[in-house]
Amino acid sequence: MSETMTGAEMVVRALQDQGVEHIFGYPGGAVLPIYDALFHQDKVKHVLVRHEQGAVHAAEGYARSSGKVGVVLVTSGPGATNAVTGLTDALMDSIPIVCLTGQVPTHLIGSDAFQEADTVGITRHCTKHNYLVKRIEDLPRIMHEAFYVAANGRPGPVVIDLPKDIQFASGTYARPASNQHKTYRPQVQGDMEKIKAAIALMASAKRPVFYTGGGVVNAGPQAAALLRELVRLTGFPVTSTLMGLGAYPASDPQFLGMLGMHGTYEANLAMHGCDVMINIGARFDDRITGRLDAFSPHSRKIHVDIDPSSINKNVKVDIGIVGDCAHVLEDMVRLWRSTAPQVDKVALKGWWDNIAGWRGRKCLAYRKSSDVIKPQYAIERLYELTKDREVYVTTEVGQHQMWAAQFFKFEEPNRWMTSGGLGTMGYGLPAAIGAQLAHPNALVVDIAGEASILMNMQEMSTALQYRLPVKVFILNNEYMGMVRQWQELLHGGRYSESYSHSLPDFVKLAEAYGGVGIRCDKPDVLDDAIREMIDTPRPVIFDCVVDKAENCFPMIPSGKAHNEMILGDAAEDIGSVIDAKGKMLV
């Protein structure tokens, strides 16, 4: 049924029809008609952030933890440009976002009007798609189409630029019969012949490994369940990228931990020495591959990805399957069961023996202290004291992010939210706010560094305003830790501008916002302090003072291969030597 209404009312009605419950935004002159329309309804709840970058990150946290599309509303000019970092972050990490931006009236576009910016031009390279609405007749279609584009295929951010005169104009609204874009039809079913070839190659493997990524998480809980089934059916080891953590349970003995620059020794050497690699939903980015010409040099590679442009982009593969991970994994499980391939059990046992030897290095070991809190210990204790709860973890970016990935064990997908591709400092707190809104009864913790948290600290006001009991767990080493580590290892210990000067008193800062501040600098009282944080039904900033000099290991130095890892001095030396094919010679 069609109705006559203004463009602003169409925007709000389309959001309602899409089932949107929360929208993150900041008002300004170019979007006031939409804000007025929001005022006259109660189905879509607006969340007032304190910065437009925070709005997009909050929408990302909401989307990643709930599986829904995150929605953002910002004004023209600086409102739109402030959102660019968040949009780029969402594009890199494949997060479905619809961002509504205000624009000057159509007749002023191109005149350098007050708060005008070429939003479509600026966001062309940091969005999956964008629109400039020039006719009221197009608005209903564009609104619904944007949700389809954002959520289908490889997810990503979509911008709708809304001139102010279009918001005031009257037109006819009717929900389209279909949300689909007229030309965008992502392929979800994999090529069956290629899937059969992949199964045959997997069956012939002597040193196989599953390499899984965020695409499994994005494909929904069914994909994670099917991945677990396939891994257990085959008996193969499995590793994960930073973005894929939780798709396979961390406690399972077949899981090798995270791979990549700060991944585990066993995961990286398995990738280096495997003869068949099964990549499910990962994109072969540089933090995973290391030096490309030395990346897994003796393996045949299978790559499953919904984005056709990812196949053979960074690494040439033997079998490239374009399709949704859930659909392809379903076919793989069915074929493996029906064909019951006979794997080389002797070779597979030998492969697992090698992996056991690599695990014996205990690459995540660190030297504990009774005097100072080690950052690894802080994450371990946080995990142990929260693992029996419904917990969602976000992070900022830096050493603390890598320690969280290494020491916080995720058993389910959608519980881990971090900035992977763009590496955005300031991501964690607003993302935690979004996750907390999506899961009001859950424990949401932002594992932060003292430098990163200051990037978007203003969002504590949002947490307080909406009574969101997010916990900010700061590993405070008084340095931009990852910068300092690289300066130590690569620049002769010249710590140029990496020391965090003039830090606030985080306890007083929390109290200034109306929250609760906790400070802890002794290992023997850490557990009690963490319990106090967990039990506090209000936003908390936890200032955990940790060892200033601790480095994050293992580490693949920039430009090196997987078998050129640096281990920490607490890792065990078992005298192992790795040959060209990954076999361990003791």
Side-chain angles (χ1 to χ4, degrees):
M1 181 179 177
S2 61
E3 296 180 56
T4 299
M5 58 182 72
T6 67
E9 290 167 339
M10 289 182 188
V11 169
V12 174
R13 178 65 65 84
L15 296 178
Q16 293 172 347
D17 288 346
Q18 284 291 333
V20 173
E21 296 177 343
H22 294 95
I23 181 170
F24 302 89
Y26 200 94
V31 284
L32 288 185
I34 298 174
Y35 273 89
D36 193 54
L38 285 169
F39 183 84
H40 292 287
Q41 57 83 56
D42 58 7
K43 290 183 179 179
V44 179
K45 295 180 175 61
H46 181 273
V47 179
L48 179 65
V49 297
R50 271 47 178 181
H51 191 282
E52 291 88 353
Q53 180 187 345
V56 186
H57 292 329
E60 287 185 275
Y62 186 90
R64 292 173 72 170
S65 66
S66 68
K68 301 176 182 178
V69 175
V71 184
V72 177
L73 174 59
V74 298
T75 195
S76 64
T81 59
N82 279 346
V84 165
T85 297
L87 292 170
T88 310
D89 190 271
L91 182 69
M92 294 283 280
D93 288 346
S94 305
I95 311 303
I97 300 292
V98 170
C99 180
L100 309 171
T101 60
Q103 185 55 275
V104 300
T106 52
H107 67 276
L108 289 179
I109 291 176
S111 69
D112 293 331
F114 176 68
Q115 290 194 332
E116 180 190 1
D118 178 10
T119 301
V120 168
I122 290 168
T123 64
R124 182 168 287 123
H125 300 291
C126 66
T127 56
K128 185 177 177 181
H129 193 53
N130 60 18
Y131 301 86
L132 171 60
V133 184
K134 295 182 178 180
R135 301 189 326 136
I136 188 70
E137 294 82 3
D138 296 331
L139 182 54
R141 172 186 59 81
I142 288 172
M143 283 295 301
H144 290 282
E145 200 173 89
F147 280 84
Y148 173 83
V149 173
N152 285 271
R154 180 179 176 178
V158 176
V159 161
I160 305 175
D161 203 26
L162 294 158
K164 193 167 184 179
D165 57 325
I166 299 295
Q167 299 172 45
F168 277 124
S170 292
T172 301
Y173 175 87
R175 182 170 184 174
S178 171
N179 293 344
Q180 291 186 352
H181 189 279
K182 61 183 178 182
T183 59
Y184 180 56
R185 297 285 190 277
Q187 181 177 334
V188 295
Q189 295 289 349
D191 183 298
M192 188 52 66
E193 293 306 311
K194 290 185 177 181
I195 294 173
K196 289 177 180 177
I199 292 295
L201 181 55
M202 289 163 59
S204 72
K206 299 182 184 302
R207 302 185 308 279
V209 66
F210 281 100
Y211 155 36
T212 62
V216 181
V217 178
N218 289 341
Q222 183 188 10
L226 288 164
L227 172 67
R228 297 168 191 220
E229 186 176 0
L230 183 60
V231 169
R232 287 161 184 161
L233 280 172
T234 59
F236 296 173
V238 56
T239 181
S240 170
T241 67
L242 179 74
M243 301 305 295
L245 293 175
Y248 195 86
S251 62
D252 191 284
Q254 285 177 251
F255 186 61
L256 306 183
M258 182 179 72
L259 80 157
M261 180 171 282
H262 291 285
T264 67
Y265 187 68
E266 52 267 30
N268 283 328
L269 287 187
M271 287 285 281
H272 184 77
C274 69
D275 68 341
V276 173
M277 177 193 302
I278 310 105
N279 176 338
I280 311 288
R283 58 186 177 87
F284 289 112
D285 73 283
D286 62 293
R287 286 296 174 107
I288 294 301
T289 62
R291 199 173 86 237
L292 273 174
D293 63 0
F295 173 65
S296 194
H298 303 285
S299 69
R300 299 183 69 187
K301 300 173 181 68
I302 300 163
H303 188 189
V304 178
D305 203 295
I306 196 153
D307 182 1
S309 71
S310 289
I311 305 292
N312 293 318
K313 180 173 71 175
N314 297 328
V315 171
K316 188 180 185 303
V317 299
D318 298 275
I319 302 173
I321 302 170
V322 177
D324 181 89
C325 289
H327 290 274
V328 176
L329 283 167
E330 184 176 25
D331 288 335
M332 283 182 157
V333 168
R334 178 175 48 78
L335 283 173
W336 191 274
R337 285 189 178 279
S338 63
T339 58
Q342 297 300 308
V343 300
D344 187 335
K345 293 183 179 179
V346 174
L348 190 57
K349 182 182 182 303
W351 181 232
W352 273 111
D353 288 344
N354 277 355
I355 290 169
W358 298 329
R359 277 177 165 164
R361 295 298 302 268
K362 297 183 179 177
C363 67
L364 296 180
Y366 61 93
R367 301 200 182 282
K368 294 181 171 63
S369 170
S370 59
D371 299 318
V372 63
I373 299 173
K374 293 288 186 175
Q376 303 95 319
Y377 179 74
I379 301 296
E380 282 184 325
R381 296 316 304 156
L382 179 65
Y383 168 70
E384 288 297 330
L385 294 169
T386 60
K387 65 181 180 181
D388 295 327
R389 295 171 175 263
E390 180 188 3
V391 60
Y392 293 82
V393 173
T394 70
T395 77
E396 308 295 334
V397 168
Q399 285 179 318
H400 62 274
Q401 176 190 30
M402 295 297 105
W403 282 316
Q406 292 172 341
F407 290 95
F408 205 102
K409 309 303 180 185
F410 296 94
E411 302 295 307
E412 300 176 50
N414 303 108
R415 299 298 185 91
W416 163 250
M417 287 145 282
T418 193
S419 176
L422 194 61
T424 308
M425 295 172 70
Y427 169 88
L429 175 54
I433 286 169
Q436 189 77 77
L437 272 163
H439 306 277
N441 297 318
L443 174 65
V444 180
V445 182
D446 171 28
I447 297 175
E450 84 292 333
S452 278
I453 191 60
L454 293 177
M455 289 281 189
N456 275 317
M457 177 56 83
Q458 75 282 344
E459 299 307 328
M460 276 298 289
S461 287
T462 306
L464 266 297
Q465 179 178 344
Y466 294 95
R467 297 180 175 86
L468 301 172
V470 296
K471 318 301 181 191
V472 179
F473 190 77
I474 299 173
L475 299 184
N476 187 348
N477 58 12
E478 297 184 358
Y479 276 98
M480 299 171 207
M482 194 62 81
V483 174
R484 183 203 57 75
Q485 177 169 333
W486 282 51
Q487 288 174 332
E488 176 182 324
L489 299 177
L490 303 176
H491 298 281
R494 294 181 293 277
Y495 302 131
S496 177
E497 302 300 325
S498 57
Y499 183 71
S500 296
H501 289 274
S502 303
L503 287 170
D505 181 325
F506 285 107
V507 172
K508 290 181 179 178
L509 184 60
E511 292 168 351
Y513 278 109
V516 174
I518 299 171
R519 188 175 191 271
C520 183
D521 60 2
K522 297 296 182 186
D524 58 347
V525 295
L526 180 60
D527 279 16
D528 287 341
I530 292 175
R531 290 190 187 97
E532 180 185 353
M533 177 188 76
I534 294 168
D535 293 339
T536 300
R538 294 163 61 196
V540 175
I541 297 178
F542 188 112
D543 187 11
C544 186
V545 181
V546 299
D547 190 334
K548 295 177 176 56
E550 193 74 6
N551 284 333
C552 184
F553 293 114
M555 177 181 176
I556 302 175
S558 181
K560 299 295 185 180
H562 282 157
N563 62 337
E564 299 176 284
M565 298 185 72
I566 300 173
L567 300 187
D569 61 6
E572 294 189 9
D573 183 3
I574 56 175
S576 63
V577 177
I578 310 302
D579 74 6
K581 291 188 177 180
K583 184 177 179 182
M584 185 174 70
L585 308 174
V586 178

